[in-house]
Structure formats: C-alpha cells, structure tokens
Amino acid sequence: MTDLEAAGLQHSEWLAMLLDREVAYRQDKRMGARLRHAKLRHQAAPEDIDYRAPRGLDRHLVQELLKGSWLEAHENLIISGPTGVGKSWLGCAIAHKACRDNRSVLYVRAPKLFDDQSKTKLSKEPPQRGGIIPEHMAAYRNE
C-alpha cells in the first residue's frame, strides 16, 4: 500500500489492515515450518485428488479422512493397495490437509517406521527423530 492510499484511511482502518497482514504472515510462516518438518515425499494437496482414476477411491471416505476427526479420536490410518496406485501420494495429501489444520505431521514410510521401532525396542534408546512412536505401532522381529 502506498502512502497516498494509506492517507485516505482512518487510523483504525490502517491499523486493522496492518494487523491482518501480520496475522497472515505469521500463519504462512507456521504453515511453512509444519510442512518442512513433515518431510512429505510428494507435493500433494487434497484438491488435486483425482477420483476418476481407476483406483477404487471412495470420495466420501476420503472426504471424511480429510476432515481429521479420526486424528482427534487418536485412531490410526493404514493405506494399502497394489504398487503404483498412489498410496504415498494420497497419504501426503491427507498430511498436507492436517498441516493446514494446524496439526504437526511427520511422513514416514512403514518399513522405516517399523525398522526404527524395532531398533528402539531392542536398544532401549529413544527414537532418533525425537518423536514418540506409540506402543500399539511396535514391530517385533521373529528370530
């Protein structure tokens, strides 16, 4: 905004615009930090989900997952299917929406998660990521 445009505003209007701009800047900065921390494998957004592709996606189910009530209920989500149908991409799209909803996310593929968990169980050391891996997600080696 130029000085001439600002001169036409009352002080309260100018201050409100300044505060709105600052709030938007801080929200964008936090969102960027959440997305960086999430380490998402794909730049996927929920708006880009293609329901026409022959993958068997249930639009209603995906919309419910995007709402995030399952996160609030502390439930887990496993996305399964054949190779190449977009499981990782869909997971990243859901994670992106969770970041938008002011939730912290960490993208980890199942083999890495299970490997880290089993190493943690065997060594009694905390996970390297500094996060907590829930007990119900433990993987045990059959030796």
Side-chain angles (χ1 to χ4, degrees), residues 55-123:
R55 295 182 289 190
L57 282 181
D58 179 356
R59 180 186 291 264
H60 179 71
L61 177 61
V62 173
Q63 294 302 321
E64 284 298 314
L65 291 172
L66 291 171
K67 287 180 185 175
S69 58
W70 61 280
L71 292 169
E72 293 168 9
H74 303 285
E75 295 175 347
N76 298 306
L77 172 66
I78 296 175
I79 302 173
S80 63
T83 302
V85 296
K87 298 177 299 291
S88 295
W89 192 91
L90 182 60
C92 288
I94 294 170
H96 191 273
K97 176 66 167 79
C99 285
R100 282 194 221 160
D101 293 342
N102 203 23
R103 292 183 167 104
S104 295
V105 174
L106 179 60
Y107 176 83
V108 180
R109 294 187 65 225
K112 177 74 172 143
L113 176 69
F114 296 152
D115 188 49
D116 287 355
Q117 180 63 33
S118 65
K119 286 178 184 174
T120 300
K121 285 277 188 191
L122 295 174
S123 68

Side-chain angles (χ1 to χ4, degrees), residues 1-15 17:
M1 174 176 286
T2 65
D3 290 338
L4 291 175
E5 293 170 331
L9 296 175
Q10 292 182 4
H11 180 69
S12 61
E13 292 172 332
W14 176 82
L15 185 58
M17 285 182 59

